[in-house]
Amino acid sequence: VIRVRMETAKRVVFTSMLEGNTVPYMQNDLDTRRVEDSNTQHNGQKATNVFAQKHTVSRSKRGEVLGSRGGFRGCTIWFTGLSGAGKTTISFALEEYLVARGIPAYGLDGDNVRTGLNKNLGFAQEDREENIRRVAEVGKLFADSGVVALCSFVSPYNNDRELARQLHKSVGLPFFEIHVATTLEECEKRDVKGLYKKARAGLIKGFTGIDQPYEIPVNPEVTIHTFNRTVDDCVQQIVEILQENEIVPRSAVEKVIDLTVSEENLPGAIEEAEKLPSVEISKLDMQWLQVLGEGWATPLTGFMREREFLQCQHFNCLLDDGVTNQSVPIVLPVSTEDKEKLASCKQITLRYNGVAKAIIRDPEFYEHRKEERCARQFGMFNDGHPYIKMINESGDWLVGGDVEVLGRIVWNDGLDQYRLTPNQLRAKFREMHADAVFAFQLRNPVHNGHALLMNDCKRQLVERGFEKPVLLLHPLGGWTKDDDVPLGVRMEQHKAIMDEGVLDPESTVLAIFPSPMMYAGPTEVQWHAKARMSTGANFYIVGRDPAGMPHPSPPKQDIYEATHGGKVLEMAPGLTQLEIIPFKVAAYDKKAQAMAFFDPHRREDFDFISGTRMRSLAKAGEMPPTGFMAPSAWAVLARYYQSGAAHTAQ
């Protein structure tokens, strides 16, 4: 670790923090006089008896221990543009994005550097050149150490930016020039620092864009137009370039991988599918196909091959091209008969109720080791567990491969308008101008205790400075066990909650998450959280005993410890960019006649209304205590529990 200290403008001293000694490194005058040949000025070596020392630690070795993504990712990203263009805003947002994904990055801002390292430089052209030269050298050192250096400087001259590029090119370090191409007119409108107003009034001389030129980059790696765009969109534009150049692994890119065949290519794909060998899939398989097709399991490109399955089973992650949390296997079981029939095929059509729904390319068949799968995923192997029972009854082989889904999957049950894809939800949040999205996963009816938690989360986000936090109320819409409330009833109940204003309809999006429920406890809750990241959610509320259920064998205690789901989420790899908000315990406050956060000092004032008690009240046609649930929402549940359908399910 090296601290650079400017003792005077004429002496630079490097202090070794490891050894505690001060070593004079360069004592020559820092001559900032303009020289006609800028290459001589910037590259000319003045100090004598100075010898470059070769590192004994290679870049690849640094990459192994720096950050959590593995591999050397050092580079410099150079943001250039007019004052007020958005360089620092985008740079710092990119820094936050990369660090949250285990990629070390550091933002070097023009104003920050000028208050320290370059505080002896002004804004004359020769000082600007020296300013850029020094920063380019610092960026090069950061990049060589394995850090992504993010340099935000007006840097108006092409020659200076080219010098910075060549400094990196000469030592084999990647350099990306990012032109933040906000117009002068727009920058003047923003004028966050009030500098344009002063420049127009003649109070600032030599201000770029007013009385000093800005030379537009000739061939930048990225040109960003910020007008009417979100910061996140601008960041993603840069991230995609970094991915193409192997700086950022595919797993760190938030672009949703939608596997649905486009409208223009759909007729041809369907025609091909009808000619291929096929296999019939179950409703459960169809639900997982929808999950894959819409991009909830990004970066998966199909049902898991054996390599992906093993990574998921043993590490709860996908490990190729970076670490991506994927705690549950998304696999397609087939019978031995189907495996023998299709093993030599290069493409296979998947049919549901006889209709072609998808094509699998380059299929790979491997053994479905059911007991091992269940032991690792559920921590048990007991046929009394309903999802384990379905696994046991499924095929003895698994087939994986890239999937092409033949059109958007719909169920025609009156609820398809709620089945918004990750990309549709992202668009919805942009339309609402959301600056934070907090997601709540549920498979049960909503009572006022749940609403209290969600509203309190919104309050916390507003207090932290977010102006438009939006709630994603996201009930699970795939398979659930027979005694759970059906999806249609739950959606009607959730809508009643919103209609009564218990949750603000202006800042809440009610949508269906298409995944089946597995009741796999802390293992599954990671999947629930990770999938919501594909929507752009950056906060996730985790409840008590998420994805849990009673043990199927006596004494029927909970399979999973109630707090482990939340604890695991806070530690889970690949979820660092998602902030976990623990579920506070809420109960009915008899004095306040409302749901409230439990106060152990007033234990006798609180009533914990269990699900069993709630069902008993609903079946009997009785009302719960005032303030427990919105009356119209309770009426929905009462009708269901008093119906023959509920009796059959129970």
Side-chain angles (χ1 to χ4, degrees), residues 555-606:
K556 295 188 178 295
Q557 296 176 339
D558 289 345
I559 299 174
Y560 310 106
E561 202 278 333
T563 66
H564 282 183
K567 291 175 180 177
V568 165
L569 272 188
E570 291 177 349
M571 299 183 287
L575 298 179
T576 53
Q577 62 270 41
L578 191 69
E579 184 171 333
I580 306 303
I581 302 175
F583 194 108
K584 295 181 182 178
V585 177
Y588 185 73
D589 188 333
K590 292 180 286 188
K591 283 190 174 181
Q593 291 192 327
M595 296 298 288
F597 293 124
F598 176 64
D599 181 356
H601 299 102
R602 296 194 299 118
R603 186 180 300 272
E604 67 281 359
D605 295 333
F606 286 89

Side-chain angles (χ1 to χ4, degrees), residues 415 445 484-496 633 635-641 643 645-646:
L415 299 175
D484 281 344
V485 178
L487 177 62
V489 178
R490 285 186 280 131
M491 292 301 292
E492 185 182 358
Q493 195 265 352
H494 299 342
K495 188 175 183 303
V636 172
L637 286 184
R639 285 196 299 271
Y640 168 69
Y641 280 115
S643 70

Side-chain angles (χ1 to χ4, degrees), residues 52 55 59 62 72 74-76 136-137 139-145 163-175:
H55 286 278
R59 289 175 185 169
R62 289 192 201 110
F72 182 82
C75 67
T76 290
E137 291 283 6
K140 184 179 76 171
L141 291 174
F142 271 73
D144 191 48
S145 74
L163 167 69
R165 182 187 296 276
Q166 292 305 321
L167 282 173
H168 289 73
K169 185 177 180 180
S170 66
V171 291
L173 289 168
F175 181 93

Side-chain angles (χ1 to χ4, degrees), residues 154-390:
V154 173
S155 45
Y157 302 118
N158 279 317
N159 281 346
D160 296 338
R161 296 192 298 266
E162 184 58 26
L163 167 69
R165 182 187 296 276
Q166 292 305 321
L167 282 173
H168 289 73
K169 185 177 180 180
S170 66
V171 291
L173 289 168
F175 181 93
F176 302 91
E177 185 178 16
I178 312 296
H179 180 206
V180 185
T182 310
T183 64
L184 176 61
E185 180 184 12
E186 178 63 21
C187 290
E188 284 202 69
K189 284 181 183 177
R190 297 175 182 176
D191 203 11
V192 179
K193 303 173 185 175
L195 300 179
Y196 284 98
K197 184 177 180 180
K198 291 180 180 179
R200 290 295 187 189
L203 300 177
I204 299 178
K205 301 296 183 183
F207 193 78
T208 302
I210 304 300
D211 55 1
Q212 276 205 0
Y214 177 81
E215 297 175 0
I216 295 175
V218 177
N219 191 26
E221 277 70 19
V222 180
T223 298
I224 295 177
H225 298 282
T226 63
F227 186 68
N228 282 340
R229 290 183 68 190
T230 66
V231 175
D232 286 345
D233 280 346
C234 297
V235 167
Q236 285 302 314
Q237 186 179 348
I238 301 168
V239 168
E240 288 178 17
I241 292 295
L242 297 179
Q243 183 194 14
E244 290 174 11
N245 288 272
E246 300 183 349
I247 302 298
V248 172
R250 184 182 70 172
S251 56
V253 180
E254 290 187 350
K255 187 174 181 179
V256 175
I257 300 177
D258 191 316
L259 306 180
T260 308
V261 176
S262 62
E263 288 290 333
E264 59 268 27
N265 294 327
L266 188 56
I270 292 176
E271 183 180 355
E272 179 189 5
E274 294 296 344
K275 300 174 182 177
L276 295 174
S278 65
V279 63
E280 184 75 14
I281 63 175
S282 68
K283 184 176 182 179
L284 182 69
D285 299 329
M286 183 70 166
Q287 291 172 353
W288 282 119
L289 180 64
Q290 182 175 10
V291 166
L292 289 169
E294 294 178 357
W296 297 99
T298 296
L300 282 178
T301 56
F303 287 104
M304 288 179 173
R305 299 178 185 275
E306 186 176 42
R307 178 180 176 85
E308 294 165 323
F309 176 71
L310 290 175
Q311 290 175 1
C312 168
Q313 286 274 273
H314 291 271
F315 308 112
N316 281 2
C317 291
L318 302 176
L319 301 178
D320 296 332
D321 200 13
V323 177
T324 302
N325 190 285
Q326 183 59 54
S327 59
V328 301
I330 300 180
V331 292
L332 181 60
V334 295
S335 67
T336 300
E337 180 183 356
D338 283 330
K339 181 257 183 183
E340 291 176 351
K341 179 179 70 173
L342 302 170
S344 61
C345 298
K346 295 297 183 182
Q347 291 90 23
I348 299 170
T349 295
L350 303 182
R351 295 184 180 274
Y352 178 63
N353 291 336
V355 179
K357 292 295 182 179
I359 297 173
I360 292 186
R361 306 282 184 190
D362 299 318
E364 174 189 346
F365 293 87
Y366 54 101
E367 185 181 357
H368 189 185
R369 299 181 63 82
K370 300 174 186 179
E371 182 174 355
E372 181 184 1
R373 172 186 171 184
C374 293
R376 293 189 181 280
Q377 183 175 345
F378 300 91
M380 63 185 301
F381 187 63
N382 186 318
D383 242 7
H385 187 294
Y387 203 94
I388 291 177
K389 184 174 187 293
M390 289 193 296

